[in-house]
Amino acid sequence: MHPRLYLVTPPTFDLDEFEGQLKQALEGGDIASLLITMPDANEGELQAAAKRLVPLAQAKEVAVLIENNTQIMGRSGADGLHVSGSDATLEDIMQSFPEDRIIGHAGVKTRHDAMVVASMGVDYMFFGLLSLKQEEEPHRKSLDFGSWWSEVFETPCVVLAGTSVSSVDTAAQTGAEFVAVREAVWNHPEGPKVAVEQANAILSTHNLAEVED
């Protein structure tokens, strides 16, 4: 087994234009997940995006996650929720969260915080802050978190790559089960399909450690 791609939408986008970009990306090969994150959008804009993008990705067997909005997750038929915030926020959500949906968390600042969040039963940990300006290579702290986590814990983790496709290799070296990509795909000079093809070629060279029973 090798790490898989976790696509992240741009923070802002024109829905008609982005729908075309996503279709191209989905033609590029294996994609595990798509995170719809629109931090500056209102609820109506997020709902409109989810209504169009969720079925498009799911038709290619891609799990779709909505950031911080359980109602739109439910109404759109998305596969799960991505919580970026405090562990208290996560705890409140998990009290009534459907068991058949995926829930992941991003935003921990310390190893202790990460362990507290994982103990709540999340399906994955996301290391990397999407709100920060991304560089060509992943942020050092994201890599450190991913390397530590993948060696010690069974809960899967996602490490955010940088803006270059080559940075997928750096992120995969942590042993993370998933590598998140954003600008590296949507801003690729040859288009999203080529970017996904190149990223998957890199991921295929990394073998995940087998978990012992």
Side-chain angles (χ1 to χ4, degrees), residues 7-45:
L7 278 188
V8 182
T9 64
T12 59
F13 54 84
D14 175 84
L15 184 53
D16 290 332
E17 181 180 335
F18 180 70
E19 185 176 17
Q21 287 185 298
L22 179 58
K23 286 178 180 178
Q24 293 176 44
L26 293 169
E27 293 174 359
D30 181 56
I31 297 168
S33 309
L34 170 70
L35 171 61
I36 300 177
T37 169
M38 301 170 65
D40 298 324
N42 60 41
E43 187 150 320
E45 291 168 333

PDB file of all heavy atoms in Angstrom, residues 7-45:
ATOM      1  N   LEU A   7      -7.305  15.812  -2.051  1.00  0.00           N
ATOM      2  CA  LEU A   7      -7.417  17.106  -2.734  1.00  0.00           C
ATOM      3  C   LEU A   7      -8.108  18.138  -1.855  1.00  0.00           C
ATOM      4  O   LEU A   7      -9.064  17.819  -1.149  1.00  0.00           O
ATOM      5  CB  LEU A   7      -8.226  16.968  -4.020  1.00  0.00           C
ATOM      6  CG  LEU A   7      -7.566  16.463  -5.293  1.00  0.00           C
ATOM      7  CD1 LEU A   7      -8.544  16.600  -6.465  1.00  0.00           C
ATOM      8  CD2 LEU A   7      -6.295  17.228  -5.599  1.00  0.00           C
ATOM      9  N   VAL A   8      -7.653  19.368  -1.934  1.00  0.00           N
ATOM     10  CA  VAL A   8      -8.258  20.488  -1.199  1.00  0.00           C
ATOM     11  C   VAL A   8      -8.636  21.575  -2.197  1.00  0.00           C
ATOM     12  O   VAL A   8      -7.818  21.956  -3.046  1.00  0.00           O
ATOM     13  CB  VAL A   8      -7.277  21.068  -0.159  1.00  0.00           C
ATOM     14  CG1 VAL A   8      -7.934  22.203   0.628  1.00  0.00           C
ATOM     15  CG2 VAL A   8      -6.782  19.976   0.792  1.00  0.00           C
ATOM     16  N   THR A   9      -9.856  22.060  -2.129  1.00  0.00           N
ATOM     17  CA  THR A   9     -10.263  23.121  -3.045  1.00  0.00           C
ATOM     18  C   THR A   9      -9.476  24.392  -2.778  1.00  0.00           C
ATOM     19  O   THR A   9      -9.001  24.609  -1.657  1.00  0.00           O
ATOM     20  CB  THR A   9     -11.763  23.447  -2.895  1.00  0.00           C
ATOM     21  OG1 THR A   9     -11.999  23.968  -1.570  1.00  0.00           O
ATOM     22  CG2 THR A   9     -12.636  22.239  -3.143  1.00  0.00           C
ATOM     23  N   PRO A  10      -9.357  25.276  -3.764  1.00  0.00           N
ATOM     24  CA  PRO A  10      -8.781  26.594  -3.492  1.00  0.00           C
ATOM     25  C   PRO A  10      -9.656  27.318  -2.463  1.00  0.00           C
ATOM     26  O   PRO A  10     -10.861  27.030  -2.358  1.00  0.00           O
ATOM     27  CB  PRO A  10      -8.840  27.296  -4.856  1.00  0.00           C
ATOM     28  CG  PRO A  10      -9.012  26.195  -5.853  1.00  0.00           C
ATOM     29  CD  PRO A  10      -9.761  25.119  -5.165  1.00  0.00           C
ATOM     30  N   PRO A  11      -9.103  28.272  -1.697  1.00  0.00           N
ATOM     31  CA  PRO A  11      -9.907  28.973  -0.702  1.00  0.00           C
ATOM     32  C   PRO A  11     -11.036  29.790  -1.319  1.00  0.00           C
ATOM     33  O   PRO A  11     -12.099  29.947  -0.720  1.00  0.00           O
ATOM     34  CB  PRO A  11      -8.899  29.862   0.024  1.00  0.00           C
ATOM     35  CG  PRO A  11      -7.724  29.957  -0.904  1.00  0.00           C
ATOM     36  CD  PRO A  11      -7.695  28.689  -1.665  1.00  0.00           C
ATOM     37  N   THR A  12     -10.813  30.302  -2.514  1.00  0.00           N
ATOM     38  CA  THR A  12     -11.863  31.009  -3.256  1.00  0.00           C
ATOM     39  C   THR A  12     -11.813  30.535  -4.706  1.00  0.00           C
ATOM     40  O   THR A  12     -10.735  30.256  -5.239  1.00  0.00           O
ATOM     41  CB  THR A  12     -11.676  32.540  -3.232  1.00  0.00           C
ATOM     42  OG1 THR A  12     -10.403  32.866  -3.803  1.00  0.00           O
ATOM     43  CG2 THR A  12     -11.740  33.083  -1.807  1.00  0.00           C
ATOM     44  N   PHE A  13     -12.977  30.420  -5.330  1.00  0.00           N
ATOM     45  CA  PHE A  13     -13.004  29.989  -6.730  1.00  0.00           C
ATOM     46  C   PHE A  13     -14.349  30.316  -7.360  1.00  0.00           C
ATOM     47  O   PHE A  13     -15.365  30.453  -6.666  1.00  0.00           O
ATOM     48  CB  PHE A  13     -12.725  28.486  -6.842  1.00  0.00           C
ATOM     49  CG  PHE A  13     -13.630  27.605  -6.005  1.00  0.00           C
ATOM     50  CD1 PHE A  13     -14.879  27.205  -6.466  1.00  0.00           C
ATOM     51  CD2 PHE A  13     -13.219  27.174  -4.749  1.00  0.00           C
ATOM     52  CE1 PHE A  13     -15.699  26.393  -5.707  1.00  0.00           C
ATOM     53  CE2 PHE A  13     -14.043  26.357  -3.974  1.00  0.00           C
ATOM     54  CZ  PHE A  13     -15.285  25.968  -4.452  1.00  0.00           C
ATOM     55  N   ASP A  14     -14.304  30.458  -8.679  1.00  0.00           N
ATOM     56  CA  ASP A  14     -15.526  30.587  -9.461  1.00  0.00           C
ATOM     57  C   ASP A  14     -16.058  29.168  -9.677  1.00  0.00           C
ATOM     58  O   ASP A  14     -15.337  28.302 -10.182  1.00  0.00           O
ATOM     59  CB  ASP A  14     -15.222  31.257 -10.804  1.00  0.00           C
ATOM     60  CG  ASP A  14     -16.443  31.292 -11.707  1.00  0.00           C
ATOM     61  OD1 ASP A  14     -17.266  32.203 -11.574  1.00  0.00           O
ATOM     62  OD2 ASP A  14     -16.558  30.365 -12.544  1.00  0.00           O
ATOM     63  N   LEU A  15     -17.293  28.919  -9.284  1.00  0.00           N
ATOM     64  CA  LEU A  15     -17.814  27.558  -9.283  1.00  0.00           C
ATOM     65  C   LEU A  15     -17.826  26.932 -10.670  1.00  0.00           C
ATOM     66  O   LEU A  15     -17.439  25.776 -10.845  1.00  0.00           O
ATOM     67  CB  LEU A  15     -19.219  27.533  -8.671  1.00  0.00           C
ATOM     68  CG  LEU A  15     -19.874  26.154  -8.516  1.00  0.00           C
ATOM     69  CD1 LEU A  15     -18.970  25.191  -7.753  1.00  0.00           C
ATOM     70  CD2 LEU A  15     -21.221  26.288  -7.811  1.00  0.00           C
ATOM     71  N   ASP A  16     -18.248  27.686 -11.682  1.00  0.00           N
ATOM     72  CA  ASP A  16     -18.285  27.139 -13.045  1.00  0.00           C
ATOM     73  C   ASP A  16     -16.885  26.750 -13.515  1.00  0.00           C
ATOM     74  O   ASP A  16     -16.670  25.672 -14.075  1.00  0.00           O
ATOM     75  CB  ASP A  16     -18.888  28.158 -14.014  1.00  0.00           C
ATOM     76  CG  ASP A  16     -20.380  28.358 -13.793  1.00  0.00           C
ATOM     77  OD1 ASP A  16     -21.032  27.406 -13.315  1.00  0.00           O
ATOM     78  OD2 ASP A  16     -20.888  29.454 -14.084  1.00  0.00           O
ATOM     79  N   GLU A  17     -15.928  27.634 -13.264  1.00  0.00           N
ATOM     80  CA  GLU A  17     -14.551  27.372 -13.690  1.00  0.00           C
ATOM     81  C   GLU A  17     -13.953  26.210 -12.909  1.00  0.00           C
ATOM     82  O   GLU A  17     -13.299  25.323 -13.473  1.00  0.00           O
ATOM     83  CB  GLU A  17     -13.704  28.631 -13.484  1.00  0.00           C
ATOM     84  CG  GLU A  17     -12.256  28.480 -13.911  1.00  0.00           C
ATOM     85  CD  GLU A  17     -11.450  29.748 -13.684  1.00  0.00           C
ATOM     86  OE1 GLU A  17     -12.044  30.849 -13.658  1.00  0.00           O
ATOM     87  OE2 GLU A  17     -10.220  29.638 -13.518  1.00  0.00           O
ATOM     88  N   PHE A  18     -14.219  26.197 -11.602  1.00  0.00           N
ATOM     89  CA  PHE A  18     -13.605  25.156 -10.782  1.00  0.00           C
ATOM     90  C   PHE A  18     -14.208  23.782 -11.070  1.00  0.00           C
ATOM     91  O   PHE A  18     -13.503  22.765 -11.011  1.00  0.00           O
ATOM     92  CB  PHE A  18     -13.745  25.470  -9.288  1.00  0.00           C
ATOM     93  CG  PHE A  18     -13.110  24.416  -8.422  1.00  0.00           C
ATOM     94  CD1 PHE A  18     -11.731  24.282  -8.376  1.00  0.00           C
ATOM     95  CD2 PHE A  18     -13.886  23.521  -7.703  1.00  0.00           C
ATOM     96  CE1 PHE A  18     -11.137  23.280  -7.623  1.00  0.00           C
ATOM     97  CE2 PHE A  18     -13.306  22.521  -6.943  1.00  0.00           C
ATOM     98  CZ  PHE A  18     -11.922  22.405  -6.896  1.00  0.00           C
ATOM     99  N   GLU A  19     -15.470  23.738 -11.421  1.00  0.00           N
ATOM    100  CA  GLU A  19     -16.084  22.458 -11.758  1.00  0.00           C
ATOM    101  C   GLU A  19     -15.336  21.801 -12.917  1.00  0.00           C
ATOM    102  O   GLU A  19     -15.089  20.593 -12.916  1.00  0.00           O
ATOM    103  CB  GLU A  19     -17.558  22.652 -12.123  1.00  0.00           C
ATOM    104  CG  GLU A  19     -18.301  21.343 -12.358  1.00  0.00           C
ATOM    105  CD  GLU A  19     -19.784  21.549 -12.623  1.00  0.00           C
ATOM    106  OE1 GLU A  19     -20.186  22.683 -12.950  1.00  0.00           O
ATOM    107  OE2 GLU A  19     -20.540  20.562 -12.511  1.00  0.00           O
ATOM    108  N   GLY A  20     -14.938  22.602 -13.885  1.00  0.00           N
ATOM    109  CA  GLY A  20     -14.155  22.088 -15.002  1.00  0.00           C
ATOM    110  C   GLY A  20     -12.785  21.613 -14.555  1.00  0.00           C
ATOM    111  O   GLY A  20     -12.284  20.570 -15.024  1.00  0.00           O
ATOM    112  N   GLN A  21     -12.152  22.359 -13.656  1.00  0.00           N
ATOM    113  CA  GLN A  21     -10.845  21.955 -13.142  1.00  0.00           C
ATOM    114  C   GLN A  21     -10.933  20.633 -12.380  1.00  0.00           C
ATOM    115  O   GLN A  21     -10.070  19.766 -12.511  1.00  0.00           O
ATOM    116  CB  GLN A  21     -10.284  23.034 -12.212  1.00  0.00           C
ATOM    117  CG  GLN A  21      -9.808  24.291 -12.916  1.00  0.00           C
ATOM    118  CD  GLN A  21      -9.168  25.241 -11.919  1.00  0.00           C
ATOM    119  OE1 GLN A  21      -9.811  25.725 -10.985  1.00  0.00           O
ATOM    120  NE2 GLN A  21      -7.889  25.511 -12.105  1.00  0.00           N
ATOM    121  N   LEU A  22     -11.996  20.498 -11.590  1.00  0.00           N
ATOM    122  CA  LEU A  22     -12.157  19.273 -10.819  1.00  0.00           C
ATOM    123  C   LEU A  22     -12.369  18.073 -11.743  1.00  0.00           C
ATOM    124  O   LEU A  22     -11.816  16.996 -11.509  1.00  0.00           O
ATOM    125  CB  LEU A  22     -13.325  19.406  -9.842  1.00  0.00           C
ATOM    126  CG  LEU A  22     -13.615  18.170  -8.974  1.00  0.00           C
ATOM    127  CD1 LEU A  22     -12.406  17.769  -8.155  1.00  0.00           C
ATOM    128  CD2 LEU A  22     -14.821  18.425  -8.066  1.00  0.00           C
ATOM    129  N   LYS A  23     -13.150  18.269 -12.798  1.00  0.00           N
ATOM    130  CA  LYS A  23     -13.352  17.176 -13.756  1.00  0.00           C
ATOM    131  C   LYS A  23     -12.020  16.725 -14.341  1.00  0.00           C
ATOM    132  O   LYS A  23     -11.775  15.519 -14.499  1.00  0.00           O
ATOM    133  CB  LYS A  23     -14.293  17.629 -14.874  1.00  0.00           C
ATOM    134  CG  LYS A  23     -15.754  17.739 -14.450  1.00  0.00           C
ATOM    135  CD  LYS A  23     -16.611  18.230 -15.603  1.00  0.00           C
ATOM    136  CE  LYS A  23     -18.079  18.341 -15.202  1.00  0.00           C
ATOM    137  NZ  LYS A  23     -18.921  18.877 -16.319  1.00  0.00           N
ATOM    138  N   GLN A  24     -11.152  17.686 -14.658  1.00  0.00           N
ATOM    139  CA  GLN A  24      -9.833  17.342 -15.184  1.00  0.00           C
ATOM    140  C   GLN A  24      -9.018  16.563 -14.152  1.00  0.00           C
ATOM    141  O   GLN A  24      -8.384  15.549 -14.473  1.00  0.00           O
ATOM    142  CB  GLN A  24      -9.083  18.601 -15.580  1.00  0.00           C
ATOM    143  CG  GLN A  24      -9.671  19.347 -16.768  1.00  0.00           C
ATOM    144  CD  GLN A  24      -8.917  20.644 -17.029  1.00  0.00           C
ATOM    145  OE1 GLN A  24      -7.696  20.679 -16.997  1.00  0.00           O
ATOM    146  NE2 GLN A  24      -9.655  21.717 -17.267  1.00  0.00           N
ATOM    147  N   ALA A  25      -9.022  17.039 -12.909  1.00  0.00           N
ATOM    148  CA  ALA A  25      -8.254  16.376 -11.856  1.00  0.00           C
ATOM    149  C   ALA A  25      -8.715  14.943 -11.660  1.00  0.00           C
ATOM    150  O   ALA A  25      -7.902  14.025 -11.486  1.00  0.00           O
ATOM    151  CB  ALA A  25      -8.386  17.156 -10.545  1.00  0.00           C
ATOM    152  N   LEU A  26     -10.021  14.732 -11.718  1.00  0.00           N
ATOM    153  CA  LEU A  26     -10.578  13.402 -11.503  1.00  0.00           C
ATOM    154  C   LEU A  26     -10.198  12.430 -12.610  1.00  0.00           C
ATOM    155  O   LEU A  26     -10.255  11.210 -12.431  1.00  0.00           O
ATOM    156  CB  LEU A  26     -12.102  13.483 -11.383  1.00  0.00           C
ATOM    157  CG  LEU A  26     -12.630  14.207 -10.134  1.00  0.00           C
ATOM    158  CD1 LEU A  26     -14.124  14.467 -10.264  1.00  0.00           C
ATOM    159  CD2 LEU A  26     -12.329  13.409  -8.869  1.00  0.00           C
ATOM    160  N   GLU A  27      -9.786  12.956 -13.761  1.00  0.00           N
ATOM    161  CA  GLU A  27      -9.332  12.108 -14.870  1.00  0.00           C
ATOM    162  C   GLU A  27      -7.873  11.688 -14.705  1.00  0.00           C
ATOM    163  O   GLU A  27      -7.369  10.859 -15.466  1.00  0.00           O
ATOM    164  CB  GLU A  27      -9.503  12.849 -16.196  1.00  0.00           C
ATOM    165  CG  GLU A  27     -10.959  13.098 -16.593  1.00  0.00           C
ATOM    166  CD  GLU A  27     -11.074  13.958 -17.835  1.00  0.00           C
ATOM    167  OE1 GLU A  27     -10.014  14.375 -18.364  1.00  0.00           O
ATOM    168  OE2 GLU A  27     -12.208  14.217 -18.280  1.00  0.00           O
ATOM    169  N   GLY A  28      -7.195  12.273 -13.699  1.00  0.00           N
ATOM    170  CA  GLY A  28      -5.758  12.042 -13.564  1.00  0.00           C
ATOM    171  C   GLY A  28      -5.373  10.798 -12.797  1.00  0.00           C
ATOM    172  O   GLY A  28      -4.185  10.483 -12.691  1.00  0.00           O
ATOM    173  N   GLY A  29      -6.352  10.088 -12.244  1.00  0.00           N
ATOM    174  CA  GLY A  29      -6.010   8.880 -11.498  1.00  0.00           C
ATOM    175  C   GLY A  29      -6.571   8.888 -10.089  1.00  0.00           C
ATOM    176  O   GLY A  29      -7.504   9.629  -9.775  1.00  0.00           O
ATOM    177  N   ASP A  30      -5.988   8.071  -9.245  1.00  0.00           N
ATOM    178  CA  ASP A  30      -6.515   7.815  -7.906  1.00  0.00           C
ATOM    179  C   ASP A  30      -6.531   9.070  -7.031  1.00  0.00           C
ATOM    180  O   ASP A  30      -5.512   9.753  -6.883  1.00  0.00           O
ATOM    181  CB  ASP A  30      -5.678   6.731  -7.219  1.00  0.00           C
ATOM    182  CG  ASP A  30      -6.188   6.415  -5.829  1.00  0.00           C
ATOM    183  OD1 ASP A  30      -7.376   6.060  -5.699  1.00  0.00           O
ATOM    184  OD2 ASP A  30      -5.406   6.537  -4.873  1.00  0.00           O
ATOM    185  N   ILE A  31      -7.691   9.343  -6.459  1.00  0.00           N
ATOM    186  CA  ILE A  31      -7.858  10.416  -5.472  1.00  0.00           C
ATOM    187  C   ILE A  31      -8.715   9.845  -4.353  1.00  0.00           C
ATOM    188  O   ILE A  31      -9.810   9.331  -4.600  1.00  0.00           O
ATOM    189  CB  ILE A  31      -8.550  11.659  -6.078  1.00  0.00           C
ATOM    190  CG1 ILE A  31      -7.689  12.255  -7.198  1.00  0.00           C
ATOM    191  CG2 ILE A  31      -8.827  12.704  -5.006  1.00  0.00           C
ATOM    192  CD1 ILE A  31      -8.414  13.303  -8.031  1.00  0.00           C
ATOM    193  N   ALA A  32      -8.221   9.913  -3.132  1.00  0.00           N
ATOM    194  CA  ALA A  32      -8.963   9.346  -2.006  1.00  0.00           C
ATOM    195  C   ALA A  32     -10.080  10.261  -1.553  1.00  0.00           C
ATOM    196  O   ALA A  32     -11.204   9.817  -1.307  1.00  0.00           O
ATOM    197  CB  ALA A  32      -8.022   9.068  -0.837  1.00  0.00           C
ATOM    198  N   SER A  33      -9.775  11.553  -1.441  1.00  0.00           N
ATOM    199  CA  SER A  33     -10.716  12.483  -0.821  1.00  0.00           C
ATOM    200  C   SER A  33     -10.643  13.860  -1.459  1.00  0.00           C
ATOM    201  O   SER A  33      -9.622  14.252  -2.034  1.00  0.00           O
ATOM    202  CB  SER A  33     -10.411  12.633   0.677  1.00  0.00           C
ATOM    203  OG  SER A  33     -10.310  11.385   1.309  1.00  0.00           O
ATOM    204  N   LEU A  34     -11.748  14.590  -1.301  1.00  0.00           N
ATOM    205  CA  LEU A  34     -11.810  15.991  -1.694  1.00  0.00           C
ATOM    206  C   LEU A  34     -12.369  16.777  -0.529  1.00  0.00           C
ATOM    207  O   LEU A  34     -13.460  16.483  -0.034  1.00  0.00           O
ATOM    208  CB  LEU A  34     -12.719  16.187  -2.918  1.00  0.00           C
ATOM    209  CG  LEU A  34     -13.041  17.650  -3.274  1.00  0.00           C
ATOM    210  CD1 LEU A  34     -11.796  18.360  -3.810  1.00  0.00           C
ATOM    211  CD2 LEU A  34     -14.187  17.727  -4.285  1.00  0.00           C
ATOM    212  N   LEU A  35     -11.622  17.774  -0.078  1.00  0.00           N
ATOM    213  CA  LEU A  35     -12.090  18.670   0.979  1.00  0.00           C
ATOM    214  C   LEU A  35     -12.600  19.959   0.357  1.00  0.00           C
ATOM    215  O   LEU A  35     -11.856  20.654  -0.339  1.00  0.00           O
ATOM    216  CB  LEU A  35     -10.958  18.976   1.961  1.00  0.00           C
ATOM    217  CG  LEU A  35     -11.246  20.079   2.990  1.00  0.00           C
ATOM    218  CD1 LEU A  35     -12.434  19.721   3.880  1.00  0.00           C
ATOM    219  CD2 LEU A  35      -9.999  20.370   3.821  1.00  0.00           C
ATOM    220  N   ILE A  36     -13.866  20.266   0.610  1.00  0.00           N
ATOM    221  CA  ILE A  36     -14.430  21.539   0.166  1.00  0.00           C
ATOM    222  C   ILE A  36     -14.296  22.529   1.318  1.00  0.00           C
ATOM    223  O   ILE A  36     -14.984  22.421   2.332  1.00  0.00           O
ATOM    224  CB  ILE A  36     -15.906  21.388  -0.258  1.00  0.00           C
ATOM    225  CG1 ILE A  36     -16.022  20.392  -1.416  1.00  0.00           C
ATOM    226  CG2 ILE A  36     -16.478  22.746  -0.662  1.00  0.00           C
ATOM    227  CD1 ILE A  36     -17.457  20.115  -1.856  1.00  0.00           C
ATOM    228  N   THR A  37     -13.386  23.465   1.162  1.00  0.00           N
ATOM    229  CA  THR A  37     -13.150  24.485   2.174  1.00  0.00           C
ATOM    230  C   THR A  37     -13.279  25.863   1.526  1.00  0.00           C
ATOM    231  O   THR A  37     -12.570  26.175   0.581  1.00  0.00           O
ATOM    232  CB  THR A  37     -11.769  24.318   2.840  1.00  0.00           C
ATOM    233  OG1 THR A  37     -11.471  25.485   3.626  1.00  0.00           O
ATOM    234  CG2 THR A  37     -10.657  24.117   1.809  1.00  0.00           C
ATOM    235  N   MET A  38     -14.206  26.667   2.045  1.00  0.00           N
ATOM    236  CA  MET A  38     -14.477  28.004   1.499  1.00  0.00           C
ATOM    237  C   MET A  38     -14.621  28.970   2.670  1.00  0.00           C
ATOM    238  O   MET A  38     -15.727  29.379   3.035  1.00  0.00           O
ATOM    239  CB  MET A  38     -15.740  27.967   0.644  1.00  0.00           C
ATOM    240  CG  MET A  38     -15.675  26.988  -0.526  1.00  0.00           C
ATOM    241  SD  MET A  38     -17.267  26.744  -1.372  1.00  0.00           S
ATOM    242  CE  MET A  38     -17.582  28.385  -2.055  1.00  0.00           C
ATOM    243  N   PRO A  39     -13.499  29.327   3.313  1.00  0.00           N
ATOM    244  CA  PRO A  39     -13.543  30.080   4.569  1.00  0.00           C
ATOM    245  C   PRO A  39     -14.227  31.437   4.490  1.00  0.00           C
ATOM    246  O   PRO A  39     -14.770  31.912   5.493  1.00  0.00           O
ATOM    247  CB  PRO A  39     -12.059  30.227   4.940  1.00  0.00           C
ATOM    248  CG  PRO A  39     -11.312  30.004   3.661  1.00  0.00           C
ATOM    249  CD  PRO A  39     -12.122  29.022   2.895  1.00  0.00           C
ATOM    250  N   ASP A  40     -14.226  32.068   3.324  1.00  0.00           N
ATOM    251  CA  ASP A  40     -14.819  33.415   3.207  1.00  0.00           C
ATOM    252  C   ASP A  40     -16.208  33.390   2.571  1.00  0.00           C
ATOM    253  O   ASP A  40     -16.814  34.443   2.360  1.00  0.00           O
ATOM    254  CB  ASP A  40     -13.896  34.322   2.384  1.00  0.00           C
ATOM    255  CG  ASP A  40     -12.539  34.506   3.051  1.00  0.00           C
ATOM    256  OD1 ASP A  40     -12.498  34.562   4.291  1.00  0.00           O
ATOM    257  OD2 ASP A  40     -11.529  34.574   2.327  1.00  0.00           O
ATOM    258  N   ALA A  41     -16.726  32.203   2.266  1.00  0.00           N
ATOM    259  CA  ALA A  41     -18.023  32.102   1.601  1.00  0.00           C
ATOM    260  C   ALA A  41     -19.155  32.117   2.617  1.00  0.00           C
ATOM    261  O   ALA A  41     -18.985  31.713   3.772  1.00  0.00           O
ATOM    262  CB  ALA A  41     -18.086  30.825   0.783  1.00  0.00           C
ATOM    263  N   ASN A  42     -20.324  32.561   2.178  1.00  0.00           N
ATOM    264  CA  ASN A  42     -21.497  32.455   3.045  1.00  0.00           C
ATOM    265  C   ASN A  42     -22.108  31.065   2.882  1.00  0.00           C
ATOM    266  O   ASN A  42     -21.680  30.277   2.025  1.00  0.00           O
ATOM    267  CB  ASN A  42     -22.516  33.568   2.754  1.00  0.00           C
ATOM    268  CG  ASN A  42     -23.032  33.541   1.316  1.00  0.00           C
ATOM    269  OD1 ASN A  42     -23.297  32.486   0.755  1.00  0.00           O
ATOM    270  ND2 ASN A  42     -23.167  34.722   0.715  1.00  0.00           N
ATOM    271  N   GLU A  43     -23.115  30.783   3.681  1.00  0.00           N
ATOM    272  CA  GLU A  43     -23.679  29.433   3.679  1.00  0.00           C
ATOM    273  C   GLU A  43     -24.306  29.080   2.329  1.00  0.00           C
ATOM    274  O   GLU A  43     -24.222  27.939   1.877  1.00  0.00           O
ATOM    275  CB  GLU A  43     -24.711  29.288   4.798  1.00  0.00           C
ATOM    276  CG  GLU A  43     -25.207  27.864   4.954  1.00  0.00           C
ATOM    277  CD  GLU A  43     -25.602  27.520   6.373  1.00  0.00           C
ATOM    278  OE1 GLU A  43     -24.902  27.937   7.309  1.00  0.00           O
ATOM    279  OE2 GLU A  43     -26.612  26.825   6.537  1.00  0.00           O
ATOM    280  N   GLY A  44     -24.918  30.053   1.688  1.00  0.00           N
ATOM    281  CA  GLY A  44     -25.531  29.799   0.388  1.00  0.00           C
ATOM    282  C   GLY A  44     -24.505  29.428  -0.659  1.00  0.00           C
ATOM    283  O   GLY A  44     -24.735  28.530  -1.488  1.00  0.00           O
ATOM    284  N   GLU A  45     -23.359  30.112  -0.639  1.00  0.00           N
ATOM    285  CA  GLU A  45     -22.295  29.815  -1.602  1.00  0.00           C
ATOM    286  C   GLU A  45     -21.698  28.431  -1.352  1.00  0.00           C
ATOM    287  O   GLU A  45     -21.410  27.680  -2.294  1.00  0.00           O
ATOM    288  CB  GLU A  45     -21.216  30.888  -1.512  1.00  0.00           C
ATOM    289  CG  GLU A  45     -21.672  32.248  -2.023  1.00  0.00           C
ATOM    290  CD  GLU A  45     -20.706  33.371  -1.663  1.00  0.00           C
ATOM    291  OE1 GLU A  45     -19.992  33.252  -0.638  1.00  0.00           O
ATOM    292  OE2 GLU A  45     -20.681  34.380  -2.398  1.00  0.00           O
TER     293      GLU A  45
END
